Amino acid sequence: MNSSSYEEGSSSASNQYTVNSSINEDENSSSTNESDSLYMIQELSYKPDVPQEFVPVKDSIFNSLFEGIKMYTNYAIMAGFDTRLSTQSRFGNGNDLIRKKYVICNRGSKDKKKYCDTLATGPVRRRENSTKIATGCTAKIIFECVYGTTYYKVLEFHELHNHPLVSVDDRCHLKKAKEMSYSEKEFIVRASTAKMGATTAYKLRATLRGGYQYMKPKIADYKNFRRGINRILWYKDAQIIVNKMNDRRDHYPNYSFEFARDGNVLSAMFWADEREKAYYNEFGDVISFDATFRTNKYQMIFVPFTAIDHHKKSVTVGAGLLSNETIESYCWLLKAFLKAHGKQPTIVLTDQDPAIKQAIQLVSGDLIKNTDFRKRFNKLVWDMYIKPDEFENKWELIINEFNLEDKRWFNDMFEFRNLWIPAYFNDIRMCGLMKTTSRSESMNSFFNTYSQTGNLLLNFMMNYDTAIQKQRNTQQELDRATKEASYIFRTPREIERHASKVQIKLPEEDIRCTCENFNRIGILCRHAFCILMKFGIKQIPEQYIVSRWRKDVISRHYHFGRHVSDSGDAETAKLVNEAYYNFESCLDILRADKEKLASFIQKIEIMHKELENDTSYGIMNKKTDVDMVSKLMNISVPKNIEILVPQIQRNKGSGKKKRLISATEKACENSNKQSRICSGCGERAPHNLRTCPIKKAVEQSAK
């Protein structure tokens, strides 16, 4: 054998063969007494082939139980078997110190007999599992605490196994070899903030490593880890997210967070950080908000508030989550928004009820396909220069021409025309910045690239933070590009040079134009510039340089703290990134020289062993699953739950519950091809054992 030598438990292997040969002689002699032909055949025992200095020795003393278990685990890896922590006993009487600890081979237990019935049609197992791991192996080690100290000694050590040991080539499949490091667990969590599941994260990690052969954990380990996190957090999700946001409000400057609950169930949330409040203060003259769905596990509605910054890019000025789309929910959300920002916006754009599209089709019929009607109607509605009385006259002409006097939808829309027709709010400042909710729809699409349906609220908030970081990084790049840009002047006019510098040192000048471009978007029109040049004015009057369009509108007035990203200790994260960068830089230098690269690896391995032998660094390995999740997610898992997660909601726009039937399914349904035989009822039918109606009827009657 490659990694082990075997010997018989109490006798040599030749005795085994002797027993087998005696059986053949008895069979040939055709003995009439069958009881005399029964022999006890002992199993082969396998002894690990490990250097003597690594073999555990009875009565050896260790500074801690952790150190002893680590020694036996390393021995098991060299021997070719997996270990498992087994029973333990404590001193008692208020002393929680472990008195005795068993560490056994992972094949040490015996198989539990499971009920099996090949004729069963219910949920009972129909076939016996062919893959069995437990063999009743007696290999183990027992540690005992040295009384009066925290030291542990080896009380017993059983070396022999009753199963073949894993060869050197296959030891990469041992459980210990597949154990994920903290860095890999952190990679899975961080990948999830970019809408990457366990499978995608595994593929990316394998690609970065250079191939799947360099991956110690398997894809199932990645999936199990993600599932383990959700198992720990899911029923505490609402309490965790509320605690997390309250902690931000208490420790981050000028952070706002509000939440509401229906009884003990979370029903609504709103939050806005310091930078979002600054954006609203400078760009909050016109905002838009629209609900989006499928961002979290509970189908809570995500409502981001969107404004336009000085680069004409969309920025978020606050966001909320609602459990349902009721008037009361939206009223609560808007009150929370006003409480956080302290002032109302000039104009608010939002979408109508999603059912309006169906209503238009019902009331208009073929009218919606009439290109002449659509052209004239759109031109009338979106005309920015028309006056209210002129709009009303043209509306009446269209209604009469196409016989729409009795159509309720058109009559209702005309009743509140002052809420959606631009002609009725042309005199409001910045009314031309946004005319539709397309900004909100674009922002919803942006957030959906980072979030997904199955997210816990905690995962959703992590995805939201990642999206906000991307948004603000883009804005910072645009700010830097704007400051460093050199402008190409189209004319030799001094007023154009002044527009590029934007210095404010002039007396007031009054300029008016019938196009009202300055009133609608805050920028002087070309007609106004012609008038300024005609009168010899070489600089733009101060009152026409709107603060929201300045290059330094944010950096001039605001000095923000660190961005809200709960990545733990910022200084530690910075040092870790520097360590990664320096290590990669060393690899880049040594990549072309194999000898120096091998020497570098040896130095790293020596340092690694020194750190492993230092017990002060083993505290991370001692953490429980809950402690590990708390560290990775940078949260505190609560013990007491006062706020429960909401029930999954079915809101407007969240889609239909009924699944769409594909063309293939329709074709199979209409075909004359015989169905498969159901293994439950034994008939040819378009169902299987899982969906068999007879099986369901039996289960229902049993209940």
Side-chain angles (χ1 to χ4, degrees), residues 275-286 307-310 317 343 430 433 546-550 552-558:
R275 191 178 291 265
E276 287 170 339
K277 290 183 178 181
Y279 290 161
Y280 179 79
N281 190 49
E282 297 294 340
F283 313 126
D285 32 31
V286 181
I308 299 177
D309 68 0
H310 52 309
V317 294
K343 66 175 183 178
M430 300 298 171
L433 281 179
V546 182
S547 176
R548 72 169 342 274
W549 297 122
R550 291 180 61 92
D552 55 352
V553 61
I554 296 297
S555 60
R556 187 164 53 116
H557 297 295
Y558 304 97

Side-chain angles (χ1 to χ4, degrees), residues 65 133 148 206 215 315 396 403 448 450 465 540 544 550 582 606 679:
L65 179 60
I133 297 178
M215 293 290 292
V315 291
E396 185 177 0
N403 300 321
N448 284 333
Y450 289 90
D465 289 340
I540 302 173
Y544 296 111
R550 291 180 61 92
N582 290 329
I606 293 173
S679 57

Side-chain angles (χ1 to χ4, degrees), residues 274-306:
E274 181 186 21
R275 191 178 291 265
E276 287 170 339
K277 290 183 178 181
Y279 290 161
Y280 179 79
N281 190 49
E282 297 294 340
F283 313 126
D285 32 31
V286 181
I287 66 167
S288 171
F289 72 92
D290 187 23
T292 185
F293 308 87
R294 300 179 182 176
T295 59
N296 57 83
K297 179 178 182 178
Y298 316 104
Q299 296 294 335
M300 292 187 75
I301 307 157
F302 176 50
V303 187
F305 293 83
T306 305

Side-chain angles (χ1 to χ4, degrees), residues 63-64 72 131 138 145 198 239 301 333 336 344 354 364 377 406 425 443 575 596 687:
N63 294 327
S64 65
Y72 188 66
T131 57
T138 58
C145 181
Q239 187 69 58
I301 307 157
L333 182 64
Q344 295 183 356
S364 59
F377 189 77
D406 58 343
F425 43 84
M443 189 62 70
L575 292 174
K596 292 184 178 180
H687 61 256

Side-chain angles (χ1 to χ4, degrees), residues 29-40:
S29 62
S30 301
S31 175
T32 57
N33 189 357
E34 294 183 359
S35 61
D36 294 339
S37 64
L38 297 178
Y39 293 90
M40 181 66 69

Side-chain angles (χ1 to χ4, degrees), residues 661-690:
I661 299 177
S662 66
T664 304
E665 291 174 305
K666 292 179 180 179
C668 292
E669 185 179 352
N670 298 328
S671 66
N672 296 324
K673 183 179 178 180
Q674 288 186 338
S675 303
R676 292 182 176 180
I677 298 178
C678 173
S679 57
C681 61
E683 298 179 359
R684 289 190 178 273
H687 61 256
N688 53 25
L689 176 63
R690 182 176 59 84

Side-chain angles (χ1 to χ4, degrees), residues 349-498:
L349 280 80
T350 187
D351 202 357
Q352 280 188 311
D353 194 296
I356 193 171
K357 296 180 180 179
Q358 299 180 7
I360 294 174
Q361 294 178 356
L362 292 174
V363 302
S364 59
D366 295 334
L367 184 64
I368 202 70
K369 301 178 182 178
N370 190 322
T371 56
D372 181 47
F373 169 78
R374 293 179 62 181
K375 181 178 179 180
R376 292 174 59 183
F377 189 77
N378 288 333
K379 184 178 180 181
L380 173 63
V381 168
W382 298 113
D383 193 343
M384 297 293 296
Y385 307 104
I386 197 173
K387 298 299 180 182
D389 53 351
E390 184 180 356
F391 165 78
E392 294 174 5
N393 293 332
K394 290 185 176 182
W395 176 279
E396 185 177 0
L397 289 175
I398 293 177
I399 294 297
N400 294 333
E401 181 177 347
F402 292 94
N403 300 321
L404 301 174
E405 297 88 347
D406 58 343
K407 299 299 183 182
R408 180 180 174 182
W409 182 83
F410 287 98
N411 294 331
D412 292 342
M413 295 300 292
F414 184 74
E415 286 297 325
F416 50 87
R417 57 192 178 279
N418 60 314
L419 298 179
W420 66 286
I421 298 299
Y424 288 86
F425 43 84
N426 259 339
D427 56 335
I428 300 177
R429 290 291 300 272
M430 300 298 171
C431 63
L433 281 179
M434 282 191 283
K435 295 183 289 185
T436 68
T437 57
S438 58
R439 289 274 184 174
S440 286
E441 292 167 1
S442 175
M443 189 62 70
N444 291 344
S445 177
F446 168 72
F447 281 115
N448 284 333
T449 59
Y450 289 90
S451 60
Q452 54 189 351
T453 307
N455 275 345
L456 299 176
L457 294 178
L458 178 61
N459 296 124
F460 165 78
M461 190 56 63
M462 295 171 66
N463 295 144
Y464 175 84
D465 289 340
T466 302
I468 289 297
Q469 287 182 11
K470 172 65 171 61
Q471 183 185 104
R472 293 176 183 176
N473 183 66
T474 301
Q475 188 187 65
Q476 291 173 359
E477 291 178 353
L478 290 173
D479 284 341
R480 184 170 57 254
T482 302
K483 292 177 182 179
E484 296 174 356
S486 58
Y487 300 94
I488 301 175
F489 300 110
R490 302 297 181 183
T491 68
R493 307 284 184 180
E494 292 187 20
I495 194 170
E496 185 179 0
R497 297 181 182 274
H498 177 252

Side-chain angles (χ1 to χ4, degrees), residues 509-617:
E509 299 287 348
D510 190 16
I511 304 172
R512 294 184 180 273
C513 182
T514 55
C515 73
E516 297 187 356
N517 192 74
F518 179 78
N519 186 64
R520 287 189 292 108
I521 62 174
I523 299 175
L524 286 175
C525 61
R526 62 181 185 273
H527 317 112
F529 278 104
C530 289
I531 296 299
L532 290 174
M533 290 186 292
K534 182 177 180 180
F535 285 93
I537 298 176
K538 298 180 180 180
Q539 293 184 341
I540 302 173
E542 181 179 352
Q543 69 270 28
Y544 296 111
I545 302 175
V546 182
S547 176
R548 72 169 342 274
W549 297 122
R550 291 180 61 92
K551 300 177 184 178
D552 55 352
V553 61
I554 296 297
S555 60
R556 187 164 53 116
H557 297 295
Y558 304 97
H559 301 283
F560 302 110
R562 66 183 183 89
H563 172 65
V564 177
S565 61
D566 299 309
S567 57
D569 186 1
E571 188 64 27
T572 301
K574 181 180 178 181
L575 292 174
V576 170
N577 279 309
E578 288 181 358
Y580 277 130
Y581 176 78
N582 290 329
F583 183 77
E584 290 173 356
S585 299
C586 292
L587 291 180
D588 291 339
I589 296 172
L590 301 173
R591 194 179 296 271
D593 194 329
K594 293 182 180 180
E595 293 182 0
K596 292 184 178 180
L597 183 60
S599 175
F600 176 73
I601 293 174
Q602 289 179 355
K603 294 178 181 178
I604 294 295
E605 288 178 347
I606 293 173
M607 184 181 295
H608 181 217
K609 289 180 180 179
E610 291 177 355
L611 295 175
E612 276 190 335
N613 294 330
D614 191 341
T615 57
S616 62
Y617 294 108

